[in-house]
């Protein structure tokens, strides 16, 4: 019975993660009919907005980074089954993102805006934006989507099985870029035709977080895969193919 509840917990965490991911797309792209937007909502002074938004971004970054560390995982699994560790990480990520969306303070001053007379350029930017979000989603299926989102671990636990140690592999996208999911996120948050100061702040901080997060992630990958991953670092670009880096 306990294993069943762990599995249901993981399924709930998975669907909550899917919902918050869709809300992230609507938030960053200011999509209509979405409840949250980076540029819409009650406005305050830009100083208050910057300080408050930085606090929300810091909260998200700390949660996302600290809970991913091996030491934090050991502490967490003292209180919950190890199979549910990834799902718990996702639950706290969902909460941190929801707080970011719910309490975000728009800063509407324009940083840049592509003139409507150059509509072709706006279409190019839109295509790159959509390509980025699509790339981020597709990348999860290039590795192990269900392990990434905690379902594989809890399903194995439910069946009383052990998950075999992951082997290093370079599927399609990973032959050209080491972190294609992060590449997708970067395109998604930066490729916009009208960039407000609030969106600019959001994009800058998320970009810094991605650089810091992947730095520590690669240290863990080097410990786990050794020379195999070291070779990949020399031959494969981090966020873009080597020809562009």
């Amino acid at each position: 019975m306990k294993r069943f509840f762990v599995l249901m917990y993981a399924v709930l965490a998975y669907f909550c993660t899917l919902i918050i991911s869709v809300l992230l797309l609507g938030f960053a792209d200011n999509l209509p009919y979405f409840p949250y937007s980076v540029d819409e909502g009650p406005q305050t002074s830009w100083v208050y907005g910057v300080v408050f938004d930085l606090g929300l971004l810091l909260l998200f970054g700390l949660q996302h980074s600290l809970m991913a560390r091996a030491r934090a995982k050991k502490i967490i699994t003292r209180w919950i089954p190890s199979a549910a560790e990834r799902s718990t990480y996702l639950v706290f990520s969902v909460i941190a993102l929801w707080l970011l969306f719910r309490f975000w303070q728009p800063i509407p001053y324009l940083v840049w805006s592509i003139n409507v007379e150059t509509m072709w350029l706006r279409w190019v930017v839109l295509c790159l934006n959509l390509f980025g979000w699509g790339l981020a989603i597709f990348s999860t299926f290039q590795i192990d989507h269900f392990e990434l989102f905690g379902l594989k671990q809890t399903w194995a636990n439910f069946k009383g099985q052990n998950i075999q140690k992951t082997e290093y592999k370079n599927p399609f996208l990973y032959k050209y870029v080491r972190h294609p999911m992060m590449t997708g996120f970067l395109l998604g948050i930066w490729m916009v035709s009208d960039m407000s100061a609030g969106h600019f702040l959001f994009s800058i901080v998320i970009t810094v977080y991605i650089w810091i997060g992947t730095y520590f992630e690669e240290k863990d990958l080097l410990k786990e895969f050794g020379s195999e991953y070291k070779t990949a670092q020399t031959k494969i670009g981090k966020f873009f193919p080597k020809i562009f880096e």
Side-chain angles (χ1 to χ4, degrees):
M1 184 63 70
K2 180 180 178 180
R3 292 177 179 178
F4 174 76
F5 284 117
V6 170
L7 178 60
M8 291 301 98
Y9 171 67
V11 171
L12 179 61
Y14 176 73
F15 281 105
C16 287
T17 302
L18 292 184
I19 293 170
I20 206 71
S21 298
V22 174
L23 291 177
L24 173 61
L25 173 60
F27 176 81
D29 281 1
N30 293 304
L31 296 180
Y33 309 115
F34 276 71
Y36 307 112
S37 168
V38 71
D39 288 333
E40 296 180 9
Q43 297 176 13
T44 58
S45 70
W46 70 268
V47 175
Y48 177 82
V50 168
V51 173
F52 200 81
D53 292 345
L54 279 175
L56 292 169
L57 288 164
L58 180 61
L59 175 65
F60 168 75
L62 287 174
Q63 175 276 318
H64 225 58
S65 296
L66 294 179
M67 289 189 69
R69 305 279 66 81
R71 184 176 298 179
K73 292 179 181 180
K74 288 181 180 179
I75 295 173
I76 292 170
T77 51
R78 291 176 187 171
W79 304 97
I80 63 171
S82 58
E85 180 273 322
R86 184 65 183 178
S87 297
T88 301
Y89 175 83
L90 294 176
V91 167
F92 278 90
S93 296
V94 167
I95 293 171
L97 271 177
W98 179 80
L99 289 172
L100 175 67
F101 300 157
R102 174 64 180 82
F103 297 105
W104 182 262
Q105 304 295 310
I107 308 173
Y109 308 104
L110 275 178
V111 177
W112 73 69
S113 179
I114 299 176
N115 197 308
V116 292
E117 295 178 0
T118 54
M119 187 58 69
W120 66 270
L121 183 55
R122 295 180 73 94
W123 277 107
V124 169
V125 170
L126 176 61
C127 288
L128 288 171
N129 174 276
L130 296 177
F131 173 76
W133 293 120
L135 178 63
I137 296 168
F138 183 66
S139 297
T140 67
F141 293 95
Q142 285 282 282
I143 40 179
D144 193 327
H145 175 87
F146 296 107
E147 182 178 6
L148 181 66
F149 291 99
L151 293 177
K152 184 176 181 179
Q153 298 90 316
T154 52
W155 178 247
N157 177 70
F158 178 70
K159 296 174 68 177
Q161 299 174 347
N162 293 320
I163 296 179
Q164 295 182 349
K165 185 179 179 181
T166 305
E167 295 181 357
Y168 181 70
K169 54 184 179 180
N170 280 43
F172 180 48
L173 291 176
Y174 289 81
K175 294 182 185 295
Y176 306 98
V177 181
R178 301 199 302 276
H179 301 281
M181 193 187 310
M182 297 301 105
T183 304
F185 279 123
L186 289 171
L187 289 172
I189 62 177
W190 281 106
M191 291 296 106
V192 293
S193 296
D194 302 297
M195 176 68 79
S196 69
H199 196 155
F200 188 74
L201 175 68
F202 174 78
S203 299
I204 284 286
V205 175
I206 293 297
T207 300
V208 170
Y209 165 73
I210 287 174
W211 276 98
I212 295 173
T214 52
Y215 169 78
F216 286 106
E217 180 184 354
E218 294 208 322
K219 289 184 69 174
D220 292 339
L221 290 170
L222 281 171
K223 289 179 181 178
E224 185 174 359
F225 299 111
S227 59
E228 286 183 288
Y229 196 75
K230 188 67 176 178
T231 300
Q233 285 182 310
T234 59
K235 294 183 177 181
I236 304 173
K238 190 170 186 178
F239 299 119
F240 300 95
K242 275 287 185 180
I243 189 173
F244 297 116
E245 292 191 355

